[in-house]
Amino acid sequence: MSGTAQEFKELYGYPPEGVWAAPGRVNLIGEHTDYNDGFALPFALPQRTEAAAARRTDGMLRLHSADTPSGVVTLDPAELDPARPPKGSDGWAAYPAGVLWALREAGLPVGGADLHVRSEVPAGAGLSSSAALEVATALALADLHGIPLTRPELAALARRAENAYVGVPCGVMDQMASACATDGHALHLDTRSLRQAHIPFDCAAAGLRLLVIDTRVKHDLADGAYAERRASCHGAAAALGLPALRDLPYRELEQALARLADPVARSRVRHVVTENERVVRVEALLRAGRLRETGPLLTEGHRSLRDDYAVSCAELDLAVATANAAGAYGARMTGGGFGGSALALIDAEAEPVVTRAVTEAFARAGHAPPRITVAAPSAGAARIL
Ligand code: GLA
């Protein structure tokens, strides 16, 4: 029995029917494109959230997390309402409660369950701990209650839980990465059609490493800045007469910018359109096995997020600049920004040098020590017991 299953048994007094796991993600390129119907290229992390679960016959939902001291939360699914969330269905519990709510809202025959979760995905690090929790819960509930959902359908329901129940206006990239990624591949994602392609991305075989540098600056997507970027993009698309910024081709960018009076809107549009183009270029390089050549595009993506989209911060900029100065092929912030993590593409042998350089630069600048790990593209969500 896995550790999570054992904990379930100790907690609830009987063994779970199964254990489901869903990973966090790192986005290689394609940032702030998903709510513009654009492209992204994330991959799944080896770190996962596990959910041990069993059906209940009385329809109730009991939730427990090994990672928070909140104890067992008992909820009546019929009373879940985003406008009036019942007591206990806030904080971390809002994510699994929101998933059950979204399944019910979609008219799916989901019943009650006991759930115990444990996560290895650090929270607030920009590595999608929320999506991991949502997708693990959604997969557990769908499997337990025999609800046949495709992975994109599952991801879309998880996103709906986060948007409508938790109240975070995120796009679908994180949930899709967690639900659909495959081992050794990046997931090329069209966030409009939810069409996906699995692009071989074997850094180790190419003598490369992907460093994930968690700045330890907590980001908070519920914070107004994310919603503001989103609204600004949707406003600019409307002003240009387009359904979404995805519909503005890269070669028409300059003419379109000339039609926008607001300099801030121009910058936001420039980021989104150039970022979609970078996804296309990085994907082509990965397909051609030219991994090192993606580096400059990663760094260009960072500059665009820093200068045009204004979602970086001092710690992310320092991590990127220091990694590049220490020999990285390229580096960028990953995820929503305002904190969280950066990634750097480096030669395998350069790992100690780059790690030390970044750690020392943080110390010199008076920042808290960063948490630096190596990420290998890993498998998406699965039943593990
Ligand atoms: C967060 C959101 C995603 C996406 C990224 C930025 O991770 O959850 O939907 O918008 O920010 O690319």
Side-chain angles (χ1 to χ4, degrees), residues 23-25 42-44 172-182 187 189 380-381:
R25 65 95 189 92
F43 62 89
V172 78
M173 166 176 69
D174 305 341
Q175 293 80 7
M176 281 293 289
S178 185
C180 305
T182 54
L187 180 75
L189 188 60

Side-chain angles (χ1 to χ4, degrees), residues 6 38 67 114 177 213 237 247 258 293 364 384:
Q6 188 61 41
D67 309 307
D114 282 340
I213 305 163
D247 300 297
E293 290 168 61
R364 269 198 308 277
I384 57 170

